[in-house]
Amino acid sequence: MTSPLEPSPAGRGSSPIGVFDSGLGGLSVLREIRALLPHESLLYVADSRHAPYGEKPESFVEARTLQACDWLIAQGCKALVIACNTATMHAVQAVRARFPTLPVIGVEPGLKPAAAASHSKVVGVLATASTLKSDKFNRLLTSLQQDSRFVCEAGLGLVPLIEQGDISSPDMRARLQTLLAPMLDAGADTLVLGCTHYPFLTRTIREMVGERLAIVDTGVAIARQLARKLAEFDLAAAPDAAPRDRYVSTRDAAHLRSMAAALLGVDAEAETVVIGTDRPAA
Ligand code: DGL
């Protein structure tokens, strides 16, 4: 295995980029990275054994994120993408402190682009309860509240359904209806998807609200930020490199494989792995 601190024979550029989420949501970010950076190898970790993070204590989310990032670095990753808003809110600082010489990209709800795009200056925000409670999110909110009003709703129960592959059942639609109604009633014309699981609901939301809401998700912006950081750190893969992707789950590789096929249309080899303080399944 290549140490993250030593060049691989082909140079560090050929090492994979680690992409991490509490579960399947980060696949919505991986999709954009794959599209923008076709020569990069990606190593995706779905911590589905512990999803949803959004309803767990902050200290748990931070500890788990650090364990997953340690694991990715031990696999030789050259950069880390925390493709989870909740984990970014509670752990990105700790991850950057632990790996000060590596690019570490986090994600946060796109309040700024949404406020800039909104005509009514009323923006709906759908994110996990934990993201909405976090200091980092509330600092961002406060910095933008002078010009725009934000109607924030915690998407309780959405992530477990998406983890099961449910993106449009009557139950999912009923939950979305309840969450979107206060935003529409308040005059929102823009909706921020502040959890990386939610972009998989875009089509369903569109069917429900038509063009009444412009939908903002940050996947493309994250991929661009990653590209900039790889260039800055001189870590980009060679333009003729053939990427090798790896998908791992802490719960169920077969499920991750079938969800990657359903959500991304890729036929990925997947493995079940034990990370951090988890015990191997009996
Ligand atoms: N996908 C995650 C996020 O962006 C977390 C979902 C969860 O595990 O609750 O916030």
Side-chain angles (χ1 to χ4, degrees), residues 21-22 25-26 51-55 83-86 107 128 131 159 194-197:
D21 180 49
S22 63
Y53 278 12
E55 292 159 41
C84 174
N85 293 262
T86 311
V107 304
T128 67
T131 291
V159 167
C195 165
T196 54
H197 280 71

Side-chain angles (χ1 to χ4, degrees), residues 92-227:
V92 72
Q93 259 184 320
V95 174
R96 290 199 172 118
R98 187 171 297 200
F99 306 110
T101 60
L102 291 187
V104 176
I105 317 293
V107 304
E108 65 180 24
L111 302 191
K112 224 175 172 173
S118 170
H119 296 293
S120 66
K121 295 296 168 202
V122 183
V123 172
V125 182
L126 197 54
T128 67
S130 180
T131 291
L132 295 180
K133 269 191 286 182
S134 68
D135 293 343
K136 196 170 159 63
F137 175 82
N138 282 288
R139 278 197 299 274
L140 179 65
L141 192 66
T142 309
S143 72
L144 296 166
Q145 262 166 338
Q146 260 184 350
D147 298 322
S148 302
R149 181 169 160 222
F150 295 91
V151 182
C152 301
E153 295 289 334
L156 295 177
L158 300 186
V159 167
L161 289 178
I162 298 167
E163 285 287 309
Q164 291 160 27
D166 175 356
I167 51 174
S168 63
S169 68
D171 182 15
M172 174 60 87
R173 284 170 191 267
R175 284 169 192 267
L176 285 172
Q177 187 69 44
T178 306
L179 293 164
L180 298 177
M183 301 175 186
L184 291 167
D185 290 348
D189 64 353
T190 308
L191 171 65
V192 175
L193 299 182
C195 165
T196 54
H197 280 71
Y198 301 163
F200 295 120
L201 302 174
T202 299
R203 187 186 297 178
T204 304
I205 294 173
R206 187 57 67 227
E207 284 168 10
M208 292 171 61
V209 303
E211 297 303 318
R212 276 186 291 165
L213 292 171
I215 297 177
V216 174
D217 97 70
T218 50
V220 172
I222 299 307
R224 290 196 186 128
Q225 170 72 350
L226 173 63

